[in-house]
Structure formats: C-alpha cells, structure tokens
Amino acid sequence: MSETAVVVGASGAMGQVIASKLVSRGLRVVAVARTEGALHALAETSDRIIPCACDISSDDAIEHLREKLTGPVRMIVHGPGVATAGGVSAAPPAAVVDAVNIKVGGLLRVVRAADTRLVEGARIVAIGGLYGLEPNAYAATAGVCNAAVANVVRQLSLAYGARRITAHLLSPGPVDTERLHRIASGVATRDKLTVESVLEKMRSESPIGAFTTIGQVAWAVALLLDPEADALAGSTLFLDAGRRRGISRFGLRH
C-alpha cells in the first residue's frame, strides 16, 4: 500500500502547494482543513488526495483523522494558519490561547491520530515562523504559538527518536501570500502608510530583499523525505531569506 502524508492546513495557499508536491513524490495525501468545499476542490486535482474536514483545535479530530488513515504514514505536515490579532498589548488573550491550541494542541492531536501508523523514517514536520524566534510589534499570536511549537518539536524528536521517527521545524520568514498582504494592509491602516511601503519595509529586512515563496517551503518539506534528513532531527530550518542574523547558542546578534 502507498505511504501517506497528512497535511494540516491543506486548503490554504501553502497547503495546496505542499500537498501537490508530496503527491509528485509518490505519496497519498490526507488533506486536513476545516473548509470542506476547498478540500474537495483540492481533491479533484488528484485521486491521491483524500479530503478530511475536521477542526484540529478539538480532541474530536483525533478519532476523525484516525478513521481516514488506512496505511503507513510517512510524513505529517502541520501548517495551519492562525489569526493575526495585533501586538502583545492589544491582542485579546483568548486569541493567543486559541493560536497555541491550534498550532501546538493541533500538532499533538495529529501525531496521536497517526501514531500507530508512523513508519520507520517517518517525518513530523511543523511549519512555524520567524516570529516565534524574532518577535515583532504586530503579530503576538503568531510569535507566542510558534515559539511553543519550536519546543514541542524538540520534545517530539526525543519521544519518537527510538522509533527512528524524526521531528522538524520549518521557520519561514514572511511568505508572499494573500495573508501577508492582509497583514501589511492592517499595518498600513494603523500607521497611516501605504500598503506598498509596508511591504517594501518587510522586504528590506532580508539581505537579498526578498520574501520566502510558497514553492520554497514546499521544496523544503519534500527535502525532508530524503534519508539524509535524519541528520536534521529536532532542528529548525530557517527559510527566511537571511532575516535571522542571531547566534542563538550564545544569545548574541550580529
């Protein structure tokens, strides 16, 4: 039976590209999201994509997803989006808690649903974000939940290492999506700027003046399927176009 990948957040722009990339690598994809219509549209692109509409913020998702898994699981990709609710002084505490539940609780629920089907060499991949390591003034929810995800990935690496199952964190910088443009629009409104000036400032934070692309994130996900990726167990792969310049081991920055 073909091996399966579980992709959470599959109805989003990034999730759709990741699902297609994994299908091209010969995997069946169980595509998970809350929006049933978008999932079925994605499933129409390939008979190797199986839609699974459920809410990973609820424990009910564990059994619902487990019922969709009928073969060996080679990869879990957890990349749901969370609401951007402003900076830490403005974001409602409930929004921060909800974000952690989606990103951290959701990851644990998906892993538990797939646990008995994870094969040797399987990958558990969480898509976090640069804001978990480099906080900014307008995305407290993303910063807090992605920092927590980084810790959980290390814990999963310890918990599953004896089974030769590795966990990984992908940490993109700002990814050029419609969601990024909505964030830029919100900042522009708040600071009485143009959207393009906000986007240009975001680009300038990269030494090469670039956003990360969806295709680059999908490439990194597929790269982790290679056996050589064992060496990256528990690691964070920075896909941030050079934005992070710190030496985290010593707590210093260039």
Side-chain angles (χ1 to χ4, degrees):
M1 181 177 289
S2 296
E3 292 183 325
T4 297
V6 180
V7 178
V8 179
S11 65
M14 188 184 302
Q16 292 179 41
V17 175
I18 290 171
S20 296
K21 186 74 169 181
L22 295 178
V23 166
S24 75
R25 291 289 299 263
L27 296 174
R28 295 168 68 249
V29 172
V30 173
V32 181
R34 289 181 292 185
T35 311
E36 191 165 357
L39 283 178
H40 283 289
L42 176 62
E44 289 177 359
T45 66
S46 171
D47 60 5
R48 298 180 69 82
I49 296 178
I50 299 93
C52 177
C54 67
D55 182 358
I56 49 88
S57 68
S58 167
D59 286 348
D60 293 341
I62 298 174
E63 189 57 38
H64 189 80
L65 178 55
R66 191 176 284 150
E67 291 172 356
K68 291 285 186 177
L69 300 177
T70 58
V73 174
R74 181 72 168 80
M75 176 174 270
I76 292 169
V77 182
H78 187 69
V82 297
T84 302
V88 71
S89 61
V96 178
V97 172
D98 286 346
V100 174
N101 183 33
I102 291 168
K103 296 283 278 193
V104 177
L107 176 59
L108 294 177
R109 292 179 184 104
V110 175
V111 171
R112 289 178 187 181
D115 182 280
T116 60
R117 294 189 178 277
L118 290 168
V119 297
E120 183 174 320
R123 310 299 190 201
I124 300 169
V125 183
I127 299 177
L130 186 65
Y131 296 157
L133 299 162
E134 298 283 350
N136 65 47
Y138 54 84
T141 51
V144 171
C145 70
N146 286 329
V149 166
N151 184 278
V152 170
V153 165
R154 297 297 299 273
Q155 293 198 45
L156 288 170
S157 186
L158 292 171
Y160 283 86
R163 291 169 55 182
R164 303 290 300 197
I165 295 166
T166 59
H168 309 266
L169 176 65
L170 297 184
S171 182
V175 179
D176 195 2
T177 61
E178 183 180 333
R179 181 173 182 272
L180 177 66
H181 286 254
R182 288 199 305 271
I183 293 172
S185 179
V187 174
T189 299
R190 184 195 68 188
D191 296 343
K192 297 181 174 57
L193 301 169
T194 66
V195 173
E196 187 50 48
S197 69
V198 174
L199 290 169
E200 187 54 39
K201 182 177 184 302
M202 289 179 174
R203 288 189 193 96
S204 71
E205 294 168 354
S206 158
I208 60 174
F211 291 130
T212 304
T213 69
I214 292 173
Q216 288 167 336
V217 177
W219 161 80
V221 170
L223 183 73
L224 291 173
L225 289 170
D226 294 341
E228 291 83 358
D230 282 350
L232 300 174
S235 297
T236 298
L237 282 71
F238 293 103
L239 307 171
D240 58 10
R243 283 174 171 78
R244 181 167 171 79
R245 303 179 181 89
I247 304 176
S248 59
R249 180 179 175 187
F250 299 103
L252 302 176
R253 293 179 60 111
H254 293 312

